[in-house]
Every structure is written in structure tokens, then in C-alpha cells.
Amino acid sequence: MFPMSDSAVSILGSSAVTRWFDARFPEPSPAQVAAWPRIVGGENVLIVSPTGTGKTLAAFLAVLHALAATPPNPDAEPGVRCLYLSPLRALGYDLEKNLAGPLREIFPESTPDRSPVRVGLRNGDTREAERARQFAAPPEILLTTPESLGVMLSQSQWLPRLATVRWVIVDEVHALAENKRGTQLALALERLEACQAPPARLQRLGLSATVHPL
């Protein structure tokens, strides 16, 4: 296990994201201290921790830091960089709101459409006009459901937009592990992996409430 540290900057490095975290929080939680070095190291990580211990921020802060620290490449193909998948639509709506505030604080001079890190929400209720906008200008982070990911993977025009995905954050793993939705998601992740151009691969970050046996 990694020793406790008093700052995100000392674990992840310096960026607008980690400086914001250190200005807002007295110290990282144990879940964050344990997860961040492994995420930065490129490992697939499953964070099993009680509610309120910073699991979601453990995953997203490392991703946001990497996105903020990477200079934009104007020649790169447009595409999604991070997928957040939850079996509950409500979590996507909540997370969209919860990310909006910090992103405004981290990038105060940016508008939502011109932020270095844009967030989109897609599920069965998303209007066609919004889906078209997401395809034309994919957000860096797309919040969606296993079913919506399956639909996108079945549309050939979306595959180049998904070939750029580097991180997949799967929330509520404990609610997916033992049912058909989890099986469908596992297959979708393999299809998503097949979209990646070698040697690129997905980094999978799972979030779960405490379960017994682990």
C-alpha cells in the first residue's frame, strides 16, 4: 500500500486540476492515495470502498489531470477520450452537474464549449440534435450507460469516435457483476477494445461499493 501524502500534486504531478484539488481539500482520502499511483502507472484498477470515501474523484481526478496536462493536438482525430458507464441514468445526470462546477473553477477563462475538457451526457433520453452535436464535436468525457454504448458500437460511423477512448470508468460494478447487463457490458468493452489502434489499449477503472466476499 502507498503511504499517505498531503497533496494531489505530490502524487500525480502539477496541473491546473491537481492544484485545484489541493486548494479545495485538506488531503486526499486513503482510496485516492491508493488508486492514483496505479492509475498514473497505466494499471486497470478496481476501487472498492464505502460511499463517501472519494471513489469517483479518485478515478476522475487522475483522468482530468492527464487531459489537462496533455497539450491539444490540432491534427488528432476527433473522438471521446474517457467513457463513464453506469447502470443508473440518474448517476450520469448527477455526475454531469458535479463535474460542471469544478471544471468552471479549474478553467475559469473557458466557456463550456471551449473548455480543454468538455463533458457530454448520452442515454436513451438524449435528443437527436444533441447526439448529432456529440458526433460532430465529441466531448473529451462522455457519460453514458451500457445500453447506449452498445448502440454506438453498432453504428459504424461512431467507431472512429470511440477508437480514441483511453479510459473507461465503470461505476456501480457490484450492481453489474452478477447479471445480464454486466455480461452485455463485458462484451461491449471487448468490442470497444477491438476499436483501438495497436498498441493503444483501454485503461479500465471500476468503482464499487463494499462487497463481501471481495
Side-chain angles (χ1 to χ4, degrees), residues 100-170:
L103 287 173
R104 283 195 299 268
E105 296 176 6
I106 294 168
F107 306 110
E109 299 180 358
S110 300
T111 64
D113 290 338
R114 296 180 178 272
S115 172
V117 180
R118 293 167 297 127
V119 178
L121 177 66
R122 183 187 178 105
N123 56 43
D125 295 331
T126 304
R127 295 179 181 274
E128 192 61 38
E130 176 59 22
R131 296 184 186 194
R133 280 193 292 270
Q134 291 173 357
F135 179 80
E140 281 72 29
I141 298 174
L142 184 62
L143 316 176
T144 189
T145 62
E147 290 76 15
S148 290
L149 173 60
V151 171
M152 287 187 287
L153 286 167
S154 69
Q155 300 171 346
S156 59
Q157 69 270 24
W158 260 101
L159 298 183
R161 299 291 194 262
L162 297 174
T164 56
V165 173
R166 178 177 171 189
W167 303 273
V168 177
I169 300 173
V170 181

Side-chain angles (χ1 to χ4, degrees), residues 34-52:
W36 284 342
R38 290 182 164 94
I39 296 173
V40 170
E43 296 181 43
N44 296 322
V45 175
L46 174 60
I47 305 173
V48 179
S49 186
T51 299

Side-chain angles (χ1 to χ4, degrees), residues 13-42:
S14 180
S15 71
V17 174
T18 53
R19 293 191 295 272
W20 168 84
F21 180 93
D22 289 338
R24 290 292 303 271
F25 299 94
E27 63 182 8
S29 72
Q32 292 161 354
V33 171
W36 284 342
R38 290 182 164 94
I39 296 173
V40 170

Side-chain angles (χ1 to χ4, degrees), residues 56 59-60 80-96 99 119-122 140-146 149 165 167-172 205 207:
T56 304
F60 269 102
V80 176
R81 302 295 305 284
C82 174
L83 273 176
Y84 167 86
L85 300 167
S86 168
L88 303 174
R89 292 185 187 182
L91 287 180
Y93 289 116
D94 289 344
L95 188 55
E96 183 184 35
L99 285 174
V119 178
L121 177 66
R122 183 187 178 105
E140 281 72 29
I141 298 174
L142 184 62
L143 316 176
T144 189
T145 62
L149 173 60
V165 173
W167 303 273
V168 177
I169 300 173
V170 181
D171 207 349
E172 302 289 310
L205 310 177
L207 310 178

